[in-house]
Amino acid sequence: MRIARFSIDGNVAFGAVEGEGTVESGGLVLDIIKGIPYTDFELSGTKVPLSKVRLLPPVLPNKVVAIGRNYAEHAKELGHEVPEVPVAFFKPTTSVIGSGDAIEYPSFSSELHHEAELAVVIGRMCREVPRDRVKDVIFGYTCANDVTARDVQKREAQWARAKGFDTSCPLGPWVETDLDPSDLAVQATVNGEQRQLGRTSDMIRSIEDLVVHITEAMTLLPGDVILTGTPAGVGPLTVGDEVAVTIEGIGTLTNKVIKRG
Ligand code: MG
């Protein structure tokens, strides 16, 4: 099931996405959900065309835990070795935006990069999750763009500003709950031109490894998000660009880059 979060006439709701097509092409309908998707919920049967709503980030995470350098080819393109333990960092909740929202180019950077990533959405509170229980704590998957001020990342020891500025974490367009994430194409395009194309099967650490590693340290809550790293091909974004992250079996997350007003 594809679960979107949206607003219509000032009200916010979750809905199950039905029909064929994309956000742009139309033809999709939302069946409004009664209750909260992570627990018991039912479909209301009340339907609205997706073209009539504003999509919101599909989850409101308590935290976004991101993993760096999880694809060997990407580590190499930035001149890094594959780390012995996964590199983990946070993106703040204020960095999260939805599909169709604008990425605001930060004033303190002149080298903004896209990073297409598979995002894991957690479905239940968990800590110290054993490998064989990881699938039980996952609610679903969505597309992410780990937008990075690369110049700032290079000159500051911690990545809080480089990867945590407002609008640096587009998520969406919805969460797909029925998906085998082990071998999916992950693509980024800028203005329709392909920039990144990788497969989740090339991750150095699997999703199981990452959930075990992160929950060894901290409790994850329903709605928390894990970004699983980006394949090779990261590159610059400029004001006016439209960047799209497409993941096989999920959909396309599209955002325009604007100057911060
Ligand atoms: Mg990344």
Side-chain angles (χ1 to χ4, degrees):
M1 184 182 286
R2 293 171 291 178
I3 297 181
R5 196 170 140 267
F6 63 96
S7 69
I8 184 166
D9 301 331
N11 298 308
V12 174
F14 288 94
V17 181
E18 298 174 351
E20 297 297 320
T22 64
V23 174
E24 287 75 20
S25 71
L28 296 173
V29 169
L30 290 157
D31 191 335
I32 295 174
I33 283 172
K34 286 199 279 188
I36 294 171
Y38 313 108
T39 57
D40 280 341
F41 69 92
E42 45 185 298
L43 301 177
S44 68
T46 303
K47 300 189 183 189
V48 286
L50 193 129
S51 57
K52 293 274 193 285
V53 309
R54 182 184 162 211
L55 281 178
L56 300 172
V59 286
L60 282 179
N62 174 270
K63 55 190 167 297
V64 177
V65 188
I67 300 296
R69 299 168 193 164
N70 199 28
Y71 289 78
E73 288 299 314
H74 169 62
K76 204 195 292 177
E77 76 180 342
L78 294 183
H80 300 293
E81 298 292 320
V82 170
E84 280 185 28
V85 291
V87 180
F89 58 96
F90 289 118
K91 288 176 86 81
T93 54
T94 42
S95 70
V96 174
I97 58 173
S99 193
D101 292 337
I103 297 165
E104 296 182 351
Y105 205 114
S107 58
F108 55 92
S109 170
S110 53
E111 192 186 14
L112 201 63
H113 278 192
H114 54 82
E115 294 191 0
E117 308 200 5
L118 175 70
V120 179
V121 180
I122 297 298
R124 58 166 78 167
M125 187 164 91
C126 58
R127 193 174 69 163
E128 296 177 359
V129 180
R131 276 188 73 86
D132 60 351
R133 299 292 305 279
V134 167
K135 61 180 180 316
D136 300 339
V137 306
I138 293 175
F139 177 68
Y141 304 89
T142 190
C143 309
N145 194 343
D146 175 21
V147 183
T148 300
R150 192 72 70 203
D151 48 351
V152 180
Q153 185 189 21
K154 285 174 188 159
R155 64 177 184 250
E156 299 184 5
Q158 300 262 334
W159 301 347
R161 295 200 327 146
K163 286 175 171 282
F165 60 88
D166 289 359
T167 74
S168 67
C169 191
L171 295 176
W174 42 65
V175 177
E176 173 57 74
T177 60
D178 304 308
L179 190 67
D180 174 358
S182 58
D183 186 25
L184 303 173
V186 177
Q187 185 193 48
T189 64
V190 177
N191 304 324
E193 191 178 297
Q194 185 175 293
R195 294 279 188 84
Q196 293 184 267
L197 181 60
R199 299 200 71 85
T200 56
S201 49
D202 291 329
M203 283 185 196
I204 296 161
R205 272 92 185 190
S206 67
I207 289 168
E208 286 82 4
D209 292 340
L210 298 180
V211 172
V212 169
H213 184 70
I214 292 164
T215 64
E216 197 173 60
M218 70 190 78
T219 301
L220 293 177
L221 301 175
D224 279 353
V225 169
I226 299 172
L227 304 192
T228 56
T230 196
V234 299
L237 292 171
T238 56
V239 170
D241 282 347
E242 184 176 86
V243 58
V245 174
T246 301
I247 299 180
E248 190 181 357
I250 301 176
T252 300
L253 165 69
T254 306
N255 302 92
K256 258 209 152 102
V257 182
I258 65 166
K259 196 172 183 306
R260 186 178 286 185

